[in-house]
């Protein structure tokens, strides 16, 4: 006698199983280190959200006064802080300086041993102290009051000694540290850093600081390379492959080979650019009589060009978008140079 099939209870997972086995799927379990990292990021995210909420409220008014105070000064911004706040202060000073607001860091302990002489009455002091009770800041704060140097405080304690002496108090909201013991500065230093970035960007925008201004302060490294102009990188003079309109392709091929850039520009009688012959054009017109034909028959008329005063990074975007390796540089309709992808690679732009 045949038995009836047994009805199985449904599982919480896929009834067929992820592999068709009928077994329930098992949720992914993060290792303990990842769980810890996610908790840290959640805590710091909550701190930034609290800071943004405060900026939309009372902190915003004080922030606007701080920006105006720095804008109206005739000196530099002196950033100071002790411990972790000091490390953040150094970064804020570097960001301000690189975005058009002269600034430097003064160590509060060194200030008490002569470095107060670095601060003038034309300067503005920005002091970072989460508690507002950092002992090492005392002499520097007293100096600012004695010589009427504007003092902007980054602190979470609006009734602290630092806040009481400050011209402007940027009161940071209190948020739990990501440290499980609530001891290591984590969320608090991130909030200080974010507020410093906000200050630098607000000053940058208020002063109309442009990418070209940025280039003046960043001549080196990847940033400096990306802010070079086409004229700084292009090949000019005899290095530019050019032939006159009506030239036979045989002679044009000799010019292309001699300059080794895979292209040759074609000039009109008035010296303006009429077109360009590239390796791609050669492939499209490959035939036994190619050498006997004129460049006018083969060239791409009105090719894409760049100006000498364009950023080299912009030219790189054109090269990548069009999947080409060279661009002729034109000024007043006449070719004055050629820009090759290899030149961008050598200068660190590409």
């Amino acid at each position: 006698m045949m038995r009836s099939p047994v009805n199985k209870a449904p599982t919480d997972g896929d009834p067929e199983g992820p592999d068709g086995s009928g077994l329930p799927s098992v949720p992914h379990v993060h290792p303990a280190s990842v769980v810890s990292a996610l908790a840290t990021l959640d805590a710091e995210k909550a701190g930034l959200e609290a800071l943004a909420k405060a900026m939309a409220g009372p902190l915003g008014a004080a922030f606007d006064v701080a920006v105006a105070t720095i804008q109206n000064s005739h000196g530099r911004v002196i950033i100071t802080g002790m411990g972790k706040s000091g490390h953040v202060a150094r970064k804020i000073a570097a960001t301000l300086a690189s975005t058009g607001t002269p600034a430097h860091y003064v160590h509060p302990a060194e200030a008490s041993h002569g470095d107060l002489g670095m601060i003038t009455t034309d300067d503005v002091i920005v002091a970072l102290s989460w508690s507002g009770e950092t002992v090492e800041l005392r002499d520097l704060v007293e100096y600012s009051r004695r010589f009427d140097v504007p003092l902007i405080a980054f602190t979470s304690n609006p009734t602290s000694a630092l806040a009481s002496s400050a011209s402007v108090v940027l009161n940071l909201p209190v948020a739990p540290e990501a440290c499980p013991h609530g001891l290591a500065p984590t969320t608090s230093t991130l909030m200080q850093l974010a507020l410093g970035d906000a200050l630098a960007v607000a000053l940058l925008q208020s002063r109309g600081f442009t990418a070209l201004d940025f280039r003046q302060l960043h001549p080196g490294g990847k940033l400096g390379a990306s802010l070079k102009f086409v004229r700084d990188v292009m090949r000019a003079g005899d290095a530019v492959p050019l032939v006159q309109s009506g030239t036979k392709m045989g002679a044009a091929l000799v010019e292309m080979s001699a300059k080794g850039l895979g292209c040759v520009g074609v000039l009109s009688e008035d010296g303006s650019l009429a077109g360009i012959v590239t390796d791609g054009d050669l492939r499209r017109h490959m035939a036994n009589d190619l050498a006997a034909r004129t460049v006018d028959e083969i060239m791409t008329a009105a090719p894409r060009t760049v100006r000498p005063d364009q950023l080299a990074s912009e030219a790189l975007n054109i090269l990548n978008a069009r999947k080409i390796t060279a661009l002729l540089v034109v000024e007043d309709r006449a070719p004055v140079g050629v820009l090759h992808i290899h030149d961008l690679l050598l200068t660190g732009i590409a």
Side-chain angles (χ1 to χ4, degrees), residues 116-135:
L116 285 173
M118 296 180 178
I119 306 171
T120 74
T121 54
D122 290 329
D123 296 334
V124 175
I125 299 172
V126 177
L128 280 65
S129 173
W130 188 252
S131 68
E133 301 293 348
T134 304
V135 175

Side-chain angles (χ1 to χ4, degrees), residues 12-72:
D12 291 334
D14 182 352
E16 295 299 326
D19 56 0
S21 65
L23 298 175
S25 58
V26 178
H28 179 69
V29 178
H30 292 299
S33 60
V34 175
V35 172
S36 173
L38 291 171
T40 297
L41 294 174
D42 283 342
E44 295 192 340
K45 177 183 176 183
L48 291 178
E49 289 174 345
L51 179 61
K53 184 177 180 180
M55 184 63 73
L59 176 59
F63 183 83
D64 188 56
V65 174
V67 171
T69 299
I70 295 173
Q71 282 180 322
N72 295 330

Side-chain angles (χ1 to χ4, degrees), residues 139-328:
D139 291 339
L140 199 150
V141 170
E142 289 181 357
Y143 182 89
S144 73
R145 297 304 85 206
R146 187 182 312 125
F147 294 100
D148 199 26
V149 180
L151 174 63
I152 298 171
F154 281 28
T155 183
S156 66
N157 186 356
T159 62
S160 62
L162 175 61
S164 300
S165 300
S167 312
V168 184
V169 178
L170 299 183
N171 185 31
L172 292 125
V174 176
E177 299 285 10
C179 168
H181 308 300
L183 298 174
T186 45
T187 306
S188 57
T189 49
L190 179 63
M191 292 165 69
Q192 288 178 325
L193 183 60
L195 186 59
D197 285 342
L199 185 63
V201 172
L203 288 164
L204 175 157
Q205 292 178 325
S206 67
R207 295 182 180 192
F209 192 82
T210 67
L212 297 183
D213 297 320
F214 196 82
R215 178 180 182 271
Q216 300 302 318
L217 303 177
H218 294 79
K222 186 70 175 179
L223 280 175
S226 67
L227 292 170
K228 286 182 180 294
F229 292 107
V230 168
R231 64 170 171 264
D232 299 324
V233 186
M234 71 181 192
R235 304 186 193 193
D238 292 338
V240 185
L242 295 171
V243 295
Q244 290 292 327
S245 173
T247 300
K248 296 294 185 181
M249 279 301 302
L253 288 169
V254 172
E255 176 72 357
M256 287 180 68
S257 299
K259 301 301 169 62
L261 297 176
C263 66
V264 61
V266 180
L267 298 175
S268 299
E269 291 183 4
D270 62 1
S272 62
L273 182 66
I276 188 172
V277 178
T278 67
D279 289 336
D281 294 317
L282 295 180
R283 288 192 297 272
R284 285 186 288 273
H285 293 86
M286 188 62 67
N288 292 334
D289 65 341
L290 176 63
R293 299 173 70 180
T294 66
V295 289
D296 306 77
E297 299 175 72
I298 306 301
M299 73 181 187
T300 297
R304 182 63 187 267
T305 62
V306 289
R307 304 184 313 274
D309 60 354
Q310 282 184 259
L311 287 173
S313 56
E314 185 179 352
L316 175 62
N317 290 336
I318 296 171
L319 290 169
N320 288 332
R322 291 180 170 255
K323 295 181 172 58
I324 55 179
T325 58
L327 284 165
L328 288 172

